[in-house]
Amino acid sequence: MIFTGSAVALVTPFNEDNTPNFEKIKELVEYHIANGTDAIVATGTTGEASTMTDEEQLDVIKCIVDTVNKRIPVIAGASTNDTRHSLSLAKGAQDMGADALLIITPYYNKANRTGLKAHFKAIADAVDLPIILYNVPSRTGVNIAPDLVAELANECENIVAIKEASGDIAQVAEVARLVPDDFAIYSGNDDSITPLLSLGGSGVISVLANVCPQQTHDLVAKFLDGDVKGSCKIQLDLKALIDALFIEVNPVPVKTAMNLLGFDVGHLRLPLGEMNPKNLEVLKQELINAGLDVKETAELGVK
């Protein structure tokens, strides 16, 4: 088990000159460790990895690994739609000291089943780290079928978990039915953490945790400790905020939210743009409703 509980899908702060802000990354790491986060996912979708160079991604992973200093696991996103490129990133992340890898379904290519299986197996064979499969068909156009997840889990000893973001709870149940008992299932959808835990899930890889780290940790911890009603209450209490954090494509709302809360994580990189003003007002109100301290509106900007 790589982790149980809440892993934050960490945003990547940028400086005004469009470079990663390593001092701010260090601040965020310390904030999360102090506020209950159980693991950190670096350079994933929320971290805008698709707009970063390989060197930037590996430097960010190294910064997080060094700052964490083994206090909690660091999981590195190392995904592209080119298997050879993904292999290079995976090996680089391993060299940087990551504890595990998060590998997304190749996007745009829309690989068939044999291609998907060969892609994941090639990466698993190339590294010694445990691997979390990442299934998010709304972004990649391809779904990892439950029986393929089970095949990979049984045939590759270091494919040990899946981040399930299909939004299909029946599919999650089928994955849980087919995979080995020690295979971990993590929610990739903040709006359905408790339901996934009820099927034997081990936690969440969370966007919400960027702004509500302790509550996200507690939601999972309560369920795993047997307090199902307590977990459900947190899930439902945060539902409106979660919806607002996905009112536009991730990570636009969450990075905006962090700036509104005074974290000063900087701008988004193109092709992501600023929020629609009406959506921005919804986001601000839900942050306030959740008891968070919204500052004066920050200039998010795009570069």
Side-chain angles (χ1 to χ4, degrees):
M1 186 75 67
I2 300 165
F3 75 96
T4 57
S6 169
V8 63
L10 196 70
V11 302
T12 300
F14 294 121
N15 294 306
E16 283 299 313
D17 65 359
N18 212 24
T19 57
N21 184 338
F22 294 104
E23 290 307 309
K24 185 62 65 174
I25 290 170
K26 294 174 186 177
E27 289 179 22
L28 293 179
V29 168
E30 295 300 340
Y31 168 75
H32 279 287
I33 291 175
N35 286 276
T37 294
D38 300 291
I40 293 178
V41 174
T43 61
T45 303
T46 310
E48 297 177 79
S50 60
T51 68
M52 298 167 69
T53 66
D54 290 3
E55 181 180 9
E56 286 175 328
Q57 290 189 57
L58 295 176
D59 286 347
V60 167
I61 292 165
K62 178 65 171 172
C63 177
I64 293 172
V65 167
D66 288 348
T67 306
V68 168
N69 193 25
K70 299 297 183 183
R71 288 177 286 176
I72 57 176
V74 177
I75 301 156
S79 300
T80 74
N81 64 337
D82 169 17
T83 303
R84 290 178 300 172
H85 190 184
S86 297
L87 285 172
S88 175
L89 276 177
K91 291 176 181 177
Q94 178 170 270
D95 291 343
M96 293 300 103
D99 298 295
L101 301 173
L102 180 67
I103 306 295
I104 202 168
T105 311
Y107 44 87
Y108 189 76
N109 312 61
K110 299 186 76 172
N112 60 7
R113 182 188 176 94
T114 55
L116 276 180
K117 185 173 181 179
H119 173 82
F120 287 122
K121 289 193 75 170
I123 297 170
D125 289 344
V127 296
D128 299 320
L129 295 179
I131 289 172
I132 304 173
L133 305 175
Y134 182 12
N135 188 38
V136 57
S138 65
R139 297 193 80 120
T140 65
V142 177
N143 182 54
I144 312 177
D147 62 328
L148 179 55
V149 176
E151 282 184 25
L152 289 165
N154 285 308
E155 295 177 19
C156 303
E157 65 179 21
N158 58 332
I159 294 181
V160 299
I162 187 167
K163 176 184 177 183
E164 239 301 334
S166 66
D168 183 348
I169 200 68
Q171 172 158 313
V172 175
E174 185 66 0
V175 170
R177 186 179 75 85
L178 294 175
V179 295
D181 290 342
D182 59 353
F183 188 87
I185 302 174
Y186 299 113
S187 177
N189 297 102
D190 284 316
D191 61 0
S192 54
I193 303 169
T194 303
L196 182 136
L197 293 173
S198 73
L199 293 169
S202 299
V204 61
I205 296 176
S206 173
V207 173
L208 172 68
N210 281 282
V211 296
C212 294
Q214 190 66 58
Q215 296 96 316
T216 311
H217 164 87
D218 291 349
L219 189 162
V220 179
K222 283 180 179 295
F223 188 98
L224 297 179
D225 288 342
D227 184 4
V228 175
K229 287 186 177 180
S231 174
C232 187
K233 185 178 188 308
I234 297 172
Q235 177 78 84
L236 296 177
D237 286 349
L238 291 172
K239 177 64 165 55
L241 175 58
I242 293 166
D243 290 346
L245 288 171
F246 291 91
I247 198 169
E248 293 187 14
V249 69
N250 180 52
V252 174
V254 71
K255 206 166 190 185
T256 304
M258 294 190 74
N259 284 323
L260 290 170
L261 296 174
F263 286 97
D264 299 325
V265 294
H267 57 263
L268 293 151
R269 281 184 172 179
L270 287 169
L272 297 179
E274 296 180 39
M275 289 187 72
N276 175 286
K278 290 183 179 179
N279 291 339
L280 178 59
E281 289 305 311
V282 172
L283 176 63
K284 288 169 65 176
Q285 189 58 55
E286 292 305 338
L287 290 167
I288 293 168
N289 292 346
L292 299 173
D293 185 15
V294 173
K295 314 296 183 185
E296 291 296 320
T297 302
E299 286 289 335
L300 180 60
V302 176
K303 291 189 179 182

